[in-house]
Amino acid sequence: MTTAGKGAAAHSALFTDFYQLTMARAYAAESMDRLAVFELFFRTMPQHRNFILTAGLAAVADFLEDWQFTPDDLEYLDGLGGFPTEFLEELGSLRFTGDVYAMPEGTVVFPGEPILQVVAPMMQAQLVETFLLNQVHFQSLAASKAARVVLAAKGRAVVDFGSRRAHGTDAALKVARSACIAGAAGTSNVQAGSLYGLPVYGTMAHSYIQACGDEGRAFEAFARLYPETTLLVDTYDTLEGVAEVIRLAGRLGRDFHVRAIRLDSGDLVALSRECRLMLDGAGLQQVNIFASGDLDEYAIAALVAQGAPIDAFGVGTRMAVSADAPDMDVVYKLVEYDGQPRTKLSTNKVLYPGRKQVRRFVQDGRFTGDIVCGADEAAGGEPLLRQVMRQGKALPQARESLEICRARAAVGLAALPQDLSGLDGASPYPVAVSPALQKELADLRAVYAAARTSASVALP
C-alpha cells in the first residue's frame, strides 16, 4: 500500500465556492490578509453513529502544496466580471504558505473536536475551505461507514465492491482507500489498487457463465486459467452450482485449487449452511464461502449472529454511498485573526475561540474521555493534533503509508468503550471543554455584547 496517490485527480484552485472569491476580494480591498486560524470539526453525528474515523489528510496536503490559480483560471474569473485586474494578479501570485495541524488519518474522533487547523494568511485560509471540507467530510464519512462494516464482520474479511454505484469516479477511489484505512482487506477497483497499492479482488460475473452456456464447462475453463479462484455458484441454482464445483474437484484431482465459492443472492444463512455441508462432505473443507449482494453492517451482523459459515464479505452500494447516513455535519470556522480570538454567537452552534488541542485519556487499553483545551494548555492526556505542514510544505506525517493509518485505526477501534463499537446509538463519548477555554468564550461574548450596545467599544 502506498500513500495518497498524488495525481489521482487534478483539482484546480477554482474548486471553491464563489463567495470565497468575493470575500477574498473584500479582504484584499481592506488589507485584511493577516494570519488567521480556521478549525475543521464535526458538530454532530448521524443517528446510530457513535464515532468518526478520520481520513482525507493526504488529499488535503497534495492540494495545498499544488494550490494556485493558473492563467486559464484567471481568464475564466476575468470573464465573470466583478474582479479587477489588480485583484486577479494578486490571486495569480498566491501560493499556500501556511501551517497545518491535524489528527492523523485513522484517528477515532468525536463531535466538537478540531481535527484539522489551518494557520495561514486570511485569503489563503479562506479560499481553500471548500476543498478541505469536501475531502475530509467524504473520506471520513466513507471510513466511518467501512469501520462499522468491519466491526460487524468480527474478523472476517471485508472487500470493497462499491465502485460501480459510488457517486462518481473520485468518490469510488476515495471509498476504496478509506475502507482500507478502516480495515477492509482490499477493493474490486483496479485503478484504486494501482494508485494506492491496495490488494485487488475479483474473479467472474454471472455473464461469463451465461456466455459459456454450461456452468460446469465455465467453472473448469476458469479454474484452469486461475487455479486459486473463487467460483460464482448462484447463476442458475446455487446448490447445483456447488455440486458442479464438487464434480470439478473430482475431475481435476490434485490440480483442484479453488479457494472459495461466492454466494450473491438468496437466503445467505440457509444457503451458506447447506453449501458448507456439501463441501465438507466432499472433503473440500479448504474451500471458503464468500458472500455478496446488498450487504451492509446490519446484514452482516445478522449473518454473524446466526452463525452463517461465511468467511468473507463483498460489500458494495450501501458502504460506498453510506446509505443510512450519507452526510455528516462538518464545518470550517475562523477561531483567531491577527492574534486575537474570534467566535460567533449563532443559536445552538457554540464556537470556542482560539487555537486548540485535543487530549485523550486511556485506561487499561480503553478510551475514557477527551478534553478540548487551548493549544498551549497543559491538560494531561495524549495530544491528538500534530503539525503536518510547515510554510506550505507537507511534512512526512501528512502522507503516512496506509499500513500505518490502518494500524492506527485498528488500535483506536479496539480501544472504543464497549457500547460505542456497536451498531446502535449509545451514550455519547465524554468530550470535555477546559475551564480556561470556557472562560475565554465567556469573556469574548461579553466583549461582543458590549460592542453591540456601545459604539465606543470595538472588537479587538
Side-chain angles (χ1 to χ4, degrees):
M1 300 176 191
T2 57
T3 180
K6 191 169 183 178
H11 290 293
S12 163
L14 291 181
F15 193 96
T16 192
D17 291 300
F18 186 67
Y19 77 169
Q20 311 286 12
L21 289 160
T22 58
M23 284 190 290
R25 184 195 171 190
Y27 288 140
E30 296 295 322
S31 299
M32 290 179 59
D33 200 25
R34 296 183 180 180
L35 204 63
V37 179
F38 282 81
E39 291 182 340
L40 186 153
F41 58 96
F42 291 90
R43 277 203 184 105
T44 60
M45 284 189 291
Q47 189 178 18
H48 304 307
R49 298 297 179 90
N50 298 316
F51 63 86
I52 297 162
L53 193 66
T54 61
L57 175 59
V60 166
D62 289 347
F63 177 77
L64 293 179
E65 278 198 325
D66 295 340
W67 182 74
Q68 62 177 305
F69 289 90
T70 68
D72 287 345
D73 296 338
L74 299 174
E75 183 179 356
Y76 169 74
L77 292 177
D78 189 35
L80 294 179
F83 297 120
T85 300
E86 60 271 20
F87 172 68
L88 294 176
E89 289 175 350
E90 185 172 358
L91 284 186
S93 67
L94 283 181
R95 302 294 185 272
F96 184 75
T97 60
D99 297 339
V100 177
Y101 299 79
M103 295 187 188
E105 294 188 280
T107 301
V108 175
V109 301
F110 304 95
E113 299 182 336
I115 62 175
L116 185 144
Q117 293 170 338
V118 174
V119 183
M122 175 59 90
M123 285 175 61
Q124 298 174 32
Q126 187 77 72
L127 286 167
V128 301
E129 173 182 3
T130 306
F131 184 88
L132 270 55
L133 282 170
N134 174 275
Q135 290 296 305
V136 174
H137 170 263
F138 179 73
Q139 293 191 55
S140 297
L141 178 75
S144 302
K145 178 68 171 182
R148 286 166 59 84
V149 174
V150 169
L151 288 171
K154 293 189 179 299
R156 297 158 183 83
V158 171
V159 178
D160 159 48
F161 272 17
S163 296
R164 61 188 59 194
R165 295 196 183 99
H167 294 164
T169 54
D170 183 60
L173 298 173
K174 298 299 172 53
V175 165
R177 181 181 185 274
S178 299
C180 181
I181 290 174
T187 180
S188 65
N189 189 290
V190 181
Q191 187 180 10
S194 172
L195 288 170
Y196 308 128
L198 307 181
V200 292
Y201 292 86
T203 55
M204 61 168 62
H206 295 292
S207 56
Y208 178 79
I209 296 169
Q210 292 172 283
C212 287
D214 179 88
E215 192 171 46
R217 184 169 70 85
F219 286 171
E220 183 164 352
F222 211 83
R224 289 190 183 278
L225 285 173
Y226 304 101
E228 297 183 352
T229 192
T230 296
L231 297 175
L232 180 61
V233 296
D234 70 339
T235 303
Y236 304 119
D237 178 274
T238 299
L239 299 182
E240 180 56 30
V242 176
E244 285 288 1
V245 173
I246 293 171
R247 287 191 281 272
L248 176 64
R251 290 196 300 275
L252 296 183
R254 295 177 62 181
D255 292 329
F256 179 85
H257 302 292
V258 171
R259 286 188 172 182
I261 61 168
R262 177 179 156 213
L263 307 176
D264 192 50
S265 60
D267 183 339
L268 294 180
V269 174
L271 286 173
S272 63
R273 287 173 178 165
E274 292 185 70
C275 292
R276 188 73 271 161
L277 285 172
M278 291 175 67
L279 292 168
D280 290 352
L284 299 178
Q285 292 87 352
Q286 79 280 11
V287 177
N288 289 330
I289 298 176
F290 186 98
S292 57
D294 299 324
L295 297 178
D296 62 8
E297 65 266 46
Y298 297 103
I300 290 173
L303 290 169
V304 170
Q306 294 176 75
I310 296 171
D311 302 287
F313 301 97
V315 187
T317 304
R318 295 179 185 178
M319 186 167 76
V321 303
S322 190
D324 65 318
D327 69 276
M328 293 192 290
D329 185 13
V330 63
V331 293
Y332 178 87
K333 295 299 180 184
L334 178 70
V335 296
E336 184 176 301
Y337 177 67
D338 194 21
Q340 297 298 322
R342 292 287 186 262
T343 189
K344 58 196 287 286
L345 303 180
S346 301
T347 305
N348 297 326
K349 294 181 179 180
V350 177
L351 179 65
Y352 289 96
R355 282 188 55 194
K356 303 171 195 71
Q357 179 58 271
V358 181
R359 294 179 174 273
R360 175 159 293 162
F361 296 84
V362 181
Q363 184 175 356
D364 298 327
R366 295 278 184 180
F367 301 157
T368 59
D370 295 354
I371 184 168
V372 180
C373 57
D376 299 323
E377 275 192 71
E382 176 193 0
L384 300 185
L385 288 162
R386 62 186 189 181
Q387 188 166 14
V388 297
M389 295 190 74
R390 181 179 294 119
Q391 296 179 359
K393 300 300 180 184
L395 303 175
Q397 49 266 41
R399 300 191 186 101
E400 295 176 316
S401 72
L402 289 187
E403 287 90 349
I404 291 175
C405 299
R406 181 185 176 91
R408 178 182 296 113
V411 170
L413 293 172
L416 280 169
Q418 193 68 38
D419 57 338
L420 297 187
S421 62
L423 300 183
D424 297 323
S427 298
Y429 178 81
V431 177
V433 178
S434 74
L437 202 54
Q438 294 184 54
K439 182 179 185 302
E440 187 169 11
L441 175 61
D443 291 346
L444 192 55
R445 281 176 166 171
V447 171
Y448 281 21
R452 289 197 306 272
T453 58
S454 172
S456 64
V457 178
L459 294 178

